[in-house]
Amino acid sequence: MMDINSVLSEYGLKCTRQRIAVMTALAEAPSPLSAEEIYERSENMSLSTVYRTVETLCKKGIAVKNTIRDSDKFYYALTTDAHRHYAICLGCHSMKYVDICPVHSTDIDDFTVTGHKLEIYGYCNKCRPKP
């Protein structure tokens, strides 16, 4: 697991209990979390504090904020060197990491690629419409 105190210090942020709790929740999660899910995993912290903390982490580049199509929720994950792609359920909005990447070339004329995002939408087994 990452050294959270070092990461916060590297980005010029104080190592507060709230930042450590939010980063720990994100580091331990197998997929991005909503602010409500982070709140449920954290003790003695208000939901508004969770929102402020994840927004600070996003502004500093420590975390990223994602949206899901047809949803008004944001989902947060720690920034990593390796990019990740997710299959997202349109029913329950669960996110599952998929180990595929169809983008093999970043060679585009007159353009420097710095990253990309791929989201695959469908239904998990629980939410799949029954025939």
Side-chain angles (χ1 to χ4, degrees):
M1 184 139 135
M2 75 170 69
D3 182 357
I4 292 171
N5 291 337
S6 295
V7 172
L8 289 170
S9 295
E10 178 184 330
Y11 284 88
L13 293 172
K14 291 182 181 177
C15 298
T16 65
R17 177 183 57 80
Q18 294 88 348
R19 289 178 182 150
I20 292 169
V22 168
M23 287 184 67
T24 299
L26 292 174
E28 293 175 349
S31 61
L33 299 174
S34 68
E36 291 82 6
E37 291 168 325
I38 297 168
Y39 169 76
E40 291 169 2
R41 295 169 187 227
S42 304
E43 294 181 17
N44 300 319
M45 191 180 334
S46 69
L47 184 56
S48 62
T49 299
V50 171
Y51 276 109
R52 282 193 306 273
T53 302
V54 292
E55 288 300 322
T56 297
L57 296 176
C58 288
K59 285 179 187 172
K60 288 289 189 172
I62 298 171
V64 293
K65 178 170 42 171
N66 297 298
T67 58
I68 295 179
R69 184 178 82 187
D70 299 331
S71 172
D72 58 352
K73 279 190 178 181
F74 292 109
Y75 290 84
Y76 303 90
L78 293 177
T79 304
T80 63
D81 291 336
H83 68 277
R84 296 190 139 209
H85 302 302
Y86 296 93
I88 302 166
C89 179
L90 294 170
C92 66
H93 301 290
S94 64
M95 301 173 83
K96 179 181 178 181
Y97 170 68
V98 291
D99 191 20
I100 60 171
C101 181
V103 180
H104 298 290
S105 174
T106 57
D107 185 23
I108 300 172
D109 290 339
D110 299 325
F111 190 81
T112 301
V113 177
T114 60
H116 68 274
K117 186 189 324 184
L118 171 69
E119 296 173 347
I120 303 165
Y121 294 96
Y123 293 94
C124 67
N125 286 337
K126 183 179 78 175
C127 298
R128 183 176 295 130
K130 306 297 182 228

